[in-house]
Amino acid sequence: MLIEARDPANGPGDRVLLSFTGVGHGLGGVDVQQAEFFSAGNGFANTLFLTDITRSWGNALDFEQIGAALAPYLEGREVHALGNSMGGFLAVLASHFWPMKNVVCFVPQYSVRPKVIPKEARWRDYRDAIATWHYSSLEGRFAPETQYYLFSGRKGPDWRQWRRFPEAPNIANVLFPDLGHRAAVHLKRAGVLNPMIEACFAGKFSLDWLNGISPYRAEFRPSKHGGPSPRPAPR
């Protein structure tokens, strides 16, 4: 895990943001990983950019060791996390190990292990390189004291992922019918990405509010029981 801190550990402020990087963006046929969501941590005491350079969805990482490295930055502070795609998976996974108030994810995976989701055909080279599956999926990794906001597109193969996320009062599973895996890119271009993230961190997110500012209609994922997914618990 590559850890990059925006500011020193002993700076003022009581909130810190963990921004998890995805597998990267293709440049000349090569996926290049770069720190993401630079401005999302404005107003936070610090932003820590975390990159799984093995692209293992956490399976090659030692979270106890990483937690020890992060401790000087996190102790005594309210922790929030953010991630896109693999970064979203890692943000949820990390909340199983370290207390967090909010986790915001864009197009996260529930699992990339073929045994769990057999027809998930993306990221094959990276998945094949995972020698041992310590974290086959996010089953049992959602902490009851953390509020989760999962934003996904209904277009494309992500439906195999978002339909598997559990239903709970602290999990908002939000879909954009007209967007796909590049949902965050389109939302950023529309000028609504940062306001969405800020609203989630402030505990002020609502579907009505989002549909009032976004050119892309959003909806809660249909519940397995026939209704909408549970809304975030009042805070």
Side-chain angles (χ1 to χ4, degrees), residues 188-207:
K188 182 177 181 178
R189 289 173 179 170
V192 298
L193 183 67
N194 280 346
M196 287 172 58
I197 295 171
E198 291 169 4
C200 293
F201 288 157
K204 298 180 179 179
F205 173 85
S206 75
L207 201 63

Side-chain angles (χ1 to χ4, degrees), residues 204-216:
K204 298 180 179 179
F205 173 85
S206 75
L207 201 63
D208 289 341
W209 169 83
L210 177 57
N211 283 323
I213 68 166
S214 173
Y216 301 104

Side-chain angles (χ1 to χ4, degrees), residues 6-16 43-46 77:
R6 186 192 66 192
D7 297 304
N10 59 354
D14 59 1
R15 295 193 307 163
V16 64
F44 282 70
N46 209 341
R77 285 174 168 159

Side-chain angles (χ1 to χ4, degrees), residues 101-119:
K101 184 171 183 180
N102 293 298
V103 173
V104 181
C105 305
F106 293 90
V107 296
Q109 290 85 50
Y110 174 79
S111 173
V112 294
R113 187 175 186 180
K115 182 178 180 180
V116 179
I117 303 182
K119 293 187 177 180

